[in-house]
Amino acid sequence: MKPPSKLKNRAGLWLIARGDTVAKTKTRVVVALGGNAILQRGERGTYEEQLANVRKTAEQIGKMILSGKYQVVITHGNGPQVGAILLQNDAGQKYGIPAMPMDVCGAESQGLIGYMIQQCLREVFVKAGRPDIPVATVITQVIVDKNDPAFQNPTKPVGPFYTEEEAKRLAKEKGWVVVDDAGRGWRRVVPSPDPKDIAEKEAIRCLLDAHVVPIASGGGGIPVIEEDGKLKGVEAVIDKDLAGERLAEAVDADVLLILTDVDGVAINYRKPNERWLRRMTVQEAKRYLEEGQFAAGSMEPKVRAAVRFIEWGGKRAIIASLDRALEALEGEAGTEIVR
């Protein structure tokens, strides 16, 4: 092995890196993990359940990295986890414990999930005789436009269910927007603004240049706005797939791989004329989006993110099931969106 050499990265900082170059020689892949990577349907969400799911997920990601072909950046959802943190906040107020704002809860969930992924990936690397592969979680802020129309039209349900009386009282006390959530109870809704930039992109690039596997932009990132040269957290939720696409741009990725609990993309989903697609052009994807073929908050943002990535200049965008991740990268599974 060659001795470490001092190398300058894109941020102008000095790093100690293995070998003589940090030039990108492997295919750089942003892997966007769906909720099933951490919590399966029907589970209570105990730590043990989540860790077992993450362990299986880490085996899939580990195969990509250990193949020697791919340099991987990991991002993930956080819906059940941040929801649980909000419930704990709500319960704690009865005992005089101050509730934390949503941006802080998002940061907590990034640390929680990143911790599990780091541990489980290390297990995979140690078992393969590669304990030298480092993994690090970046608590990531995602910049949004303070004038985004979403702030005038909150639509994303968050937190616990309330009775109508409780919800309207909280709305008056806290300035929340509350709605009846499909007859199941009343919930708070928050804006879902479009992600514009990754605040920690240079730090993530530094990690890649130093051959670290970064975990970043968890749960769509912590939404922040810029005011007077400062970043300020806002009460909002960014779609994780759209934020993952911004992350892919920020790290100059070759591939955006969105992993979920279905085999790929289908049109006329769950109808007699259902058809699964192996390839889909950007033009076809846009037409299907306009037709309303994909469910909002589910497949729709995944397809939209894939389209954005290809239009930005990405080489490949793939939507596939978690358990066939490596096959999807090899072109043997999933749906690929092409120019």
Side-chain angles (χ1 to χ4, degrees), residues 223-291:
V224 295
I225 59 172
E226 291 184 283
E227 283 188 346
D228 302 321
K230 299 177 183 179
L231 295 179
K232 177 184 175 183
V234 291
E235 301 276 290
V237 173
I238 302 170
D239 180 85
K240 63 181 174 55
D241 297 308
L242 297 179
E245 190 279 328
R246 288 292 186 218
L247 177 64
E249 291 185 24
V251 300
D252 191 27
D254 302 297
V255 181
L256 174 61
L257 176 61
I258 300 175
L259 299 177
T260 183
D261 58 357
V262 293
D263 291 333
V265 180
I267 56 173
N268 304 314
Y269 185 55
R270 291 183 173 175
K271 295 179 181 178
N273 57 340
E274 175 184 88
R275 180 161 63 93
W276 292 89
L277 308 172
R278 286 299 307 275
R279 287 169 68 88
M280 178 170 53
T281 67
V282 165
Q283 185 176 0
E284 287 171 331
K286 285 183 172 180
R287 186 175 78 247
Y288 294 143
L289 285 165
E290 289 175 3
E291 292 173 359

Side-chain angles (χ1 to χ4, degrees), residues 96-274:
I97 301 171
M100 294 293 107
M102 277 196 66
D103 52 316
V104 175
C105 294
E108 289 180 22
S109 71
Q110 286 187 4
L112 160 70
I113 297 168
Y115 162 61
M116 290 192 289
I117 296 174
Q118 285 177 202
Q119 274 203 346
C120 294
L121 269 180
R122 184 178 184 276
E123 288 176 11
V124 172
F125 296 147
V126 168
K127 187 176 180 181
R130 292 297 311 277
D132 57 311
I133 302 176
V135 187
T137 298
V138 180
I139 303 302
T140 312
Q141 302 170 94
V142 174
I143 300 169
V144 300
D145 184 349
K146 64 182 179 182
N147 297 314
D148 190 303
F151 286 110
Q152 305 304 318
N153 182 33
T155 57
K156 179 69 175 178
V158 295
F161 288 90
Y162 300 100
T163 65
E164 182 176 357
E165 183 181 355
E166 287 174 320
K168 290 183 176 179
R169 175 179 58 79
L170 288 167
K172 186 176 180 179
E173 290 175 1
K174 299 176 180 286
W176 289 358
V177 178
V178 295
V179 298
D180 179 13
D181 189 353
R184 298 179 298 171
W186 285 69
R187 295 180 79 188
R188 181 188 180 191
V189 288
V190 298
S192 185
D194 199 43
K196 296 300 181 185
D197 202 3
I198 308 293
E200 286 73 25
K201 62 186 176 185
E202 289 298 343
I204 298 164
R205 289 169 177 169
C206 287
L207 292 172
L208 284 168
D209 285 348
H211 306 284
V212 178
V213 180
I215 303 163
S217 193
I222 303 161
V224 295
I225 59 172
E226 291 184 283
E227 283 188 346
D228 302 321
K230 299 177 183 179
L231 295 179
K232 177 184 175 183
V234 291
E235 301 276 290
V237 173
I238 302 170
D239 180 85
K240 63 181 174 55
D241 297 308
L242 297 179
E245 190 279 328
R246 288 292 186 218
L247 177 64
E249 291 185 24
V251 300
D252 191 27
D254 302 297
V255 181
L256 174 61
L257 176 61
I258 300 175
L259 299 177
T260 183
D261 58 357
V262 293
D263 291 333
V265 180
I267 56 173
N268 304 314
Y269 185 55
R270 291 183 173 175
K271 295 179 181 178
N273 57 340
E274 175 184 88

Side-chain angles (χ1 to χ4, degrees), residues 8-21:
K8 205 170 187 180
N9 71 1
R10 300 183 219 192
L13 304 174
W14 290 102
L15 295 173
I16 300 296
R18 299 179 183 86
D20 293 329
T21 181

